Amino acid sequence: MTFPSRRDALCAAAVLPFAARSGAQPAASDFYGMIVRMHDPQNLEMPASGFAHAVTPTEQFFVRSHFAAPAVDPGTFKLVVEGHVENRLELTLAEVQQLAKVEQTLTVECAGNGRVYLVPQARGLQWGNGGVGTAVWSGTPLGAVLDRARPRAGAAEVVLFGADRGAITADPASPGPIHFARSLPLAKARKDEVILAAGMNGGLLPRSHGAPLRAVVGGWYGCASVKWLNRIVVTDRPYRGFWQTMDYSLYARGPAGEPETVALTEAQPKAVIAAPGPQEAIPAGRPVRLGGAAWAGESKVAKVEVSADGGATWRPARFAAEPKPFQWALWSFDWTPAARGPARLVARCTDAAGATQPPARDPDRRSYLINHLVPVEVVVR
Ligand SMILES: Nc1nc2c(c(=O)[nH]1)N[C@H]1C(S)=C(S)[C@@H](COP(=O)(O)O)O[C@H]1N2
Ligand SMILES: [Mo]
């Protein structure tokens, strides 16, 4: 699906000469380069054109890395599975892949996606809308690896460790160099939508996305999808590591109303308007096609609605295809602006459980779970 707009046409014209010179032949209106959010370590955001694809081209899939990407040799690679298990494992890549095979289309969104829209500005990478992507991941269900390792009675969590390592020096600092690591409750770890992927979109997993093996945790924010995975530790108690306490945690209210930090988990429902873009000029009296994507964590997208008056009135958008669980749905909405002047376009997603996007920001979410309604302001003339 495409939703060409005036701005798309202008951008396409601008990139065409470069595409021609390099010999590459992308459909220029479908593919732009990445937005650099940090140069080193590499952190790249998908441009708005990426929301035109049901499956994000690998080159356009956002990259979020805290440390330099480690070079893991697939030939000597070992996945260690240990801790609260009957059967400690050390598996080669081929041995992991022989356990079982699975292929799934899963959307991954960074928990900080949309941070640029927080007021006052929050610390962290200033993602726009494109810290999200959808890929066809192929690999082995994490559950198959756990079945082989046989968690002991009382096993509670599965901690996934990446081979990357470094020290976080900004406050709150890590206690020296640490690996990237995140845990899942055993029940989630055994779900079909949690896979150890060696392949992405029909090719090998690229290094920037965690080669040779990464976790992809469908329905959860991206931090759970540990890249360069080489160690799994089953525990009999909740894991309290840096990346789910100091970082990637939010405040939940305890029984007495007191805030407690909890690791962030499930992705919240969210619809993004990819076109038109902010401050785009739109001719009055002619239909223009709004378009974008919507996703809904562990639930499924049930409904996307669009408002052209800043949220006062809403009308349903159309889906390009019936929404499926764990992956974004592309939507469009044909709008004929009548009155000249500024207009505030808003899209909102409601999931199959009836959860919808909040109109206002909840500060307990700290700088994560950013799905409050943010209008796209355009000019009708
Ligand atoms: N080992 C490791 N895994 C990681 C990270 C990391 O820095 N190191 N970043 C996490 C975060 S915050 C996100 S949003 C996703 C991003 O995956 P991608 O770079 O393939 O888009 O990877 C997650 N897995
Ligand atoms: Mo993230």
Side-chain angles (χ1 to χ4, degrees), residues 61-67 108-111 137 162-164 180 208-209 214 222-228 248:
F61 201 97
F62 82 103
V63 175
R64 203 304 174 230
S65 297
H66 290 85
F67 306 123
V108 177
E109 184 191 15
C110 181
W137 306 98
D164 53 333
F180 187 83
S208 59
H209 294 295
R214 74 172 301 171
C223 50
S225 293
V226 174
K227 303 192 282 189
W228 309 291
Y248 297 119

Side-chain angles (χ1 to χ4, degrees), residues 66-156:
H66 290 85
F67 306 123
V72 183
D73 177 356
T76 57
F77 171 84
K78 287 274 170 58
L79 175 66
V80 173
V81 187
E82 58 190 357
H84 208 67
V85 295
E86 305 286 354
N87 188 25
R88 183 183 187 276
L89 302 173
E90 256 182 51
L91 303 171
T92 65
L93 192 57
E95 286 167 341
V96 173
Q97 290 172 312
Q98 278 153 20
L99 290 176
K101 280 196 171 47
V102 62
E103 186 168 271
Q104 274 201 58
T105 304
L106 301 169
T107 292
V108 177
E109 184 191 15
C110 181
N113 190 32
R115 187 172 288 136
V116 76
Y117 300 112
L118 295 185
V119 180
Q121 188 182 45
R123 280 189 313 177
L125 293 179
Q126 297 298 303
W127 298 106
N129 289 323
V132 60
T134 301
V136 181
W137 306 98
S138 53
T140 308
L142 174 55
V145 176
L146 294 171
D147 285 348
R148 176 61 65 95
R150 299 204 310 276
R152 299 216 301 260

Side-chain angles (χ1 to χ4, degrees), residues 255-273:
E258 285 297 298
E260 296 174 22
T261 56
V262 294
L264 46 92
T265 57
E266 192 189 347
Q268 300 296 302
K270 185 164 171 180
V272 160
I273 299 176

Side-chain angles (χ1 to χ4, degrees), residues 46 98 192 211:
M46 182 188 78
Q98 278 153 20
D192 289 345

Side-chain angles (χ1 to χ4, degrees), residues 12 48 51 91 130 139 161 205-206 221 264 282 322 332 351 372-373 377:
F51 287 111
L91 303 171
F161 287 87
L205 191 67
Y221 280 113
L264 46 92
I282 293 177
E322 187 58 34
S332 66
D351 72 17
H372 63 290
L373 300 178
E377 301 190 2

